[in-house]
Amino acid sequence: MSDDDERTLGRIETEVALLMRFGEATRRATGTAEHRVLDRAAYVILRHLDAAGPQNVSALAAQLNLDGSTVTRQVSALQRDGLITRTPDPSDGRGTVISPTAAGLQRMAAVRSARTRLYGELLADWSDEDQAALATLLGRLNQALVNRNRRR
């Protein structure tokens, strides 16, 4: 690896670390309550269930690259809050399938809308091409992370 490659990868590592830090700080500091009606884990679970449909805990854990016990705890909290329901798994009578409730989808949509507005404000002076390039590159980075985690 050349020095230039190493410097570039170091910059990427630093920028990703800062992105994660600033993203969380921005979420906590944003004045609107919409950003805070769901914690990050609940939001990700509800987004996934909305996109992929009802799933059992094992499939959900695999898709989100989380330990099953972690997902079980998060799902229990979501159920207590009325944001998901559990029904018997038709393919395995011993298990359950998790689905978002209307209230869960409503909260998830409120957070997504608030975040979309925030990014619209942050990127208002970026060209459409730069915004599209950022979306593409972030998508590629996320897919590379998913692929790496699946190989483990």
Side-chain angles (χ1 to χ4, degrees):
M1 181 180 308
S2 75
D3 287 346
D4 285 345
D5 291 342
E6 203 164 312
R7 272 192 295 279
T8 299
L9 293 174
R11 283 183 52 217
I12 291 168
E13 183 280 328
T14 299
E15 294 302 331
V16 169
L18 290 171
L19 175 66
M20 293 167 53
R21 169 68 185 104
F22 292 144
E24 183 60 21
T26 300
R27 184 192 68 80
R28 284 194 317 269
T30 298
T32 62
E34 294 161 315
H35 287 274
R36 295 185 302 271
V37 296
L38 290 173
D39 68 27
R40 184 177 40 225
Y43 179 72
V44 169
I45 288 171
L46 287 167
R47 284 289 306 253
H48 179 74
L49 291 172
D50 185 40
Q55 298 194 339
N56 65 35
V57 169
S58 298
L60 190 57
Q63 286 296 312
L64 299 177
N65 194 40
L66 293 170
D67 182 74
S69 63
T70 300
V71 173
T72 298
R73 278 192 310 278
Q74 292 168 340
V75 164
S76 292
L78 287 166
Q79 186 176 19
R80 262 193 321 274
D81 293 341
L83 304 177
I84 60 104
T85 60
R86 295 180 197 237
T87 56
D89 186 339
S91 65
D92 177 4
R94 298 168 294 155
T96 59
V97 173
I98 297 122
S99 303
T101 63
L105 291 175
Q106 182 178 12
R107 280 201 201 172
M108 185 265 308
V111 172
R112 181 178 54 215
S113 178
R115 289 180 177 184
T116 300
R117 281 192 310 276
L118 173 64
Y119 287 115
E121 292 168 13
L122 291 171
L123 303 175
D125 62 345
W126 290 37
S127 70
D128 291 346
E129 294 80 16
D130 283 350
Q131 289 182 32
L134 177 63
T136 297
L137 292 172
L138 287 172
R140 285 176 60 192
L141 176 61
N142 282 325
Q143 190 57 56
L145 290 167
V146 166
N147 293 344
R148 183 177 195 282
N149 290 329
R150 284 188 179 150
R151 288 192 299 262
R152 291 183 154 197

